[in-house]
């Protein structure tokens, strides 16, 4: 979902971090002030019911995400195709934004106006020879209506019965007749399609985005940050995510939906982390429940190894085999199929908040 936010924001990708909030605060603040949401996931329910509620919620978000991003991708691809046709060379680009009705002889039984692409170096040759390339070419009927780095687009009017002969003679002189017949309805349809696609895309994401709320909790840097789970000092979030979905003027519906449901998914994810800590701790240490869950945030990555050494030393007594296996990779832990590096004498789960790295 974070990557979808980046893709939708396009030119404002650098502000994506400011958009990825959980319950109105930045992700670190939410995690370090996490409290179990009793209203959404009643603790009195059996664990299997809580997990089922979480799974259904996330499955619905995933389904909606796939359908919404698929629709956006189709819209974006269609617009890119039209834009390519508008920015290519004279051989491939659309001409609907170049030509006008006045450039053509229309509704004539005998005459027709063709469009000819002439290399830039041959402009003078074209002006001298186009009238004699075939019989029945209308004198002084050519006009330059567009040019790019490679050549120019000229009109020429002639009798319908010499079209094929003119094309052959033109090709021999490296003048290419572009297959195009002026159709006002088709040109209008193409212009309207481009306008519609641009409008649809702009509605999905105009160029504004939301910054972090003032007063977001900040913390002084320490070598290791420790916060017991369930800290009552959690900052007031104000409105709920659903209330915030109706806000955000200038934002398209897809970006608003992504912001709200990223928050919902992230909150559910942290609840799942808390569930795993609880379940694993009961399985490890038995009942009655007697454990303390904390968050440890090393000040820098290089401190992680030292932190592991300290934790293994402090909690070695909880599982001597696991502690020994960390020092000796040849020691196997009976009944455990995980790699030794995934198992410690204490319960451990990683929370990676670098969702855009």
């Amino acid at each position: 979902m974070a990557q979808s936010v980046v893709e939708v924001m396009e030119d404002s990708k650098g502000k994506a971090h400011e958009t990825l909030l959980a319950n109105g605060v930045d992700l670190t603040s939410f995690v370090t002030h996490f409290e179990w949401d009793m209203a959404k996931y009643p603790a009195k329910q059996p664990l299997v019911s809580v997990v089922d509620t979480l799974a259904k919620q996330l499955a619905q978000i995933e389904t909606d995400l796939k359908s919404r991003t698929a629709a956006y991708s189709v819209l974006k691809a269609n617009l890119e195709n039209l834009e390519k046709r508008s920015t290519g060379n004279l051989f491939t680009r659309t001409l609907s934004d170049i030509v006008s009705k006045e450039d053509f002889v229309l509704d004539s039984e005998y005459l027709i106006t063709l469009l000819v692409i002439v290399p830039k170096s041959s402009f003078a040759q074209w002006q001298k020879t186009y009238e004699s390339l075939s019989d029945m070419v209308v004198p002084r009927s050519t006009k330059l209506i567009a040019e790019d780095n490679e050549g120019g687009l000229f009109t020429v009017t002639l009798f319908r019965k010499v079209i094929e002969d003119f094309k052959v003679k033109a090709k021999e002189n490296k003048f290419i007749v572009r297959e195009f017949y002026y159709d006002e309805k088709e040109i209008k349809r193409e212009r309207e399609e481009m306008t519609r696609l641009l409008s649809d895309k702009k509605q999905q994401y105009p160029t504004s985005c939301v910054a972090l709320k003032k007063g977001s909790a900040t913390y002084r840097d320490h070598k290791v940050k420790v916060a017991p789970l369930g800290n009552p000092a959690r900052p007031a979030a104000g409105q709920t995510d659903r209330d915030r979905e109706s806000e955000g003027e200038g934002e398209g519906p897809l970006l608003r939906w992504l912001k709200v449901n990223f928050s919902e998914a992230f909150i559910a994810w942290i609840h799942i982390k808390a569930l795993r800590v609880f379940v694993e701790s009961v399985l490890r240490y038995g009942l009655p429940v007697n454990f303390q869950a904390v968050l440890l945030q090393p000040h820098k990555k290089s401190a992680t190894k030292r932190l592991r050494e300290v934790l293994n030393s402090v909690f070695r007594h909880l599982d001597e085999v696991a502690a020994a296996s960390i020092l000796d990779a040849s020691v196997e832990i009976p009944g455990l199929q995980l790699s030794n590096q995934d198992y410690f004498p204490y319960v451990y789960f990683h929370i990676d908040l670098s969702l855009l790295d």
Side-chain angles (χ1 to χ4, degrees):
M1 295 192 76
Q3 290 304 321
S4 294
V5 169
V6 172
E7 290 171 14
V8 172
M9 294 186 74
E10 293 185 346
D11 295 337
S12 302
K13 287 180 180 179
K15 297 183 179 180
H17 281 286
E18 301 171 9
T19 301
L20 300 179
L21 306 178
N23 215 20
V25 299
D26 63 274
L27 305 186
T28 300
S29 296
F30 178 82
V31 172
T32 53
H33 293 80
F34 172 77
E35 289 182 6
W36 188 268
D37 190 332
M38 293 292 184
K40 273 188 182 177
Y41 316 111
K44 292 183 179 180
Q45 287 187 354
L47 278 179
V48 66
S49 299
V50 175
V51 172
D52 186 54
T53 299
L54 283 161
K56 286 178 179 177
Q57 178 191 4
L58 293 171
Q60 185 59 54
I61 291 176
E62 183 178 24
T63 299
D64 291 348
L65 175 66
K66 287 178 178 177
S67 63
R68 288 171 183 263
T69 54
Y72 181 74
S73 296
V74 169
L75 169 64
K76 188 176 177 182
N78 289 341
L79 186 57
E80 286 174 352
N81 288 336
L82 274 179
E83 287 173 344
K84 283 179 183 177
R85 290 177 60 195
S86 300
T87 56
N89 59 35
L90 292 172
F91 290 95
T92 59
R93 63 161 295 158
T94 181
L95 301 180
S96 62
D97 58 339
I98 294 177
V99 300
S100 65
K101 189 175 182 179
E102 291 69 30
D103 297 325
F104 296 85
V105 173
L106 301 173
D107 304 319
S108 171
E109 184 179 351
Y110 301 105
L111 295 176
I112 187 170
T113 300
L114 300 182
L115 297 178
V116 183
I117 300 170
V118 179
K120 214 152 200 176
S121 59
S122 302
F123 280 12
Q125 182 190 352
W126 165 259
Q127 293 286 1
K128 290 177 183 178
T129 62
Y130 80 91
E131 294 178 3
S132 59
L133 288 177
S134 176
D135 295 333
M136 300 185 178
V137 176
V138 177
R140 299 183 183 181
S141 63
T142 193
K143 181 174 68 171
L144 177 64
I145 59 175
E147 63 181 305
D148 58 17
N149 294 331
E150 299 173 11
L153 187 69
F154 288 81
T155 61
V156 60
T157 301
L158 45 90
F159 278 75
R160 291 180 180 272
K161 65 182 182 179
V162 297
I163 290 176
E164 295 306 319
D165 182 54
F166 182 88
K167 286 182 179 179
V168 171
K169 296 291 176 57
K171 189 174 183 181
E172 290 174 357
N173 287 272
K174 297 183 180 178
F175 307 142
I176 307 300
V177 176
R178 172 79 188 261
E179 295 293 340
F180 180 86
Y181 298 98
Y182 189 87
D183 183 332
E184 200 162 17
K185 289 182 179 179
E186 180 62 23
I187 288 175
K188 183 181 179 183
R189 186 202 63 77
E190 190 170 320
R191 288 173 179 168
E192 288 175 349
E193 176 71 1
M194 174 67 87
T195 303
R196 183 187 65 79
L197 288 172
L198 283 169
S199 175
D200 288 350
K201 187 166 182 278
K202 188 176 181 181
Q203 286 177 10
Q204 292 301 322
Y205 177 65
T207 54
S208 65
C209 58
V210 171
L212 288 173
K213 284 188 175 181
K214 290 182 179 179
S216 295
T218 56
Y219 305 91
R220 289 180 298 169
D221 288 331
H222 299 282
K223 288 185 178 179
V224 177
K225 300 177 184 178
V226 182
L229 294 181
N231 190 330
R234 176 179 177 177
Q239 296 164 292
T240 65
D241 285 327
R242 294 301 176 189
D243 292 335
R244 279 189 292 273
E245 186 173 23
S246 61
E247 291 188 352
E249 286 186 21
E251 293 177 357
L254 177 56
L255 182 60
R256 286 201 302 272
W257 184 90
L258 283 168
K259 287 174 60 178
V260 170
N261 286 276
F262 169 83
S263 176
E264 295 282 344
F266 184 85
I267 292 169
W269 182 49
I270 300 304
H271 277 77
I272 291 170
K273 290 285 188 182
L275 269 178
R276 294 183 71 190
V277 169
F278 175 80
V279 171
E280 184 66 20
S281 298
V282 171
L283 291 175
R284 288 269 199 109
Y285 310 126
L287 294 171
V289 174
N290 182 23
F291 67 87
Q292 175 65 57
V294 298
L295 291 166
L296 298 177
Q297 183 184 2
H299 180 59
K300 50 187 178 181
K301 284 187 177 181
S302 58
T304 302
K305 183 177 179 182
R306 176 59 183 153
L307 177 59
R308 284 272 181 232
E309 291 172 354
V310 172
L311 290 172
N312 290 335
S313 173
V314 172
F315 298 112
R316 181 186 180 94
H317 65 283
L318 295 176
D319 192 332
E320 294 287 349
V321 175
S325 71
I326 294 168
L327 301 176
D328 183 359
S330 64
V331 176
E332 294 185 0
I333 304 173
L336 191 69
Q337 304 301 318
L338 296 173
S339 161
N340 290 341
Q341 285 147 359
D342 298 324
Y343 189 86
F344 304 95
Y346 48 88
V347 174
Y348 163 77
F349 291 106
H350 180 62
I351 299 176
D352 185 0
L353 300 183
S354 305
L355 301 178
L356 298 178
D357 296 342

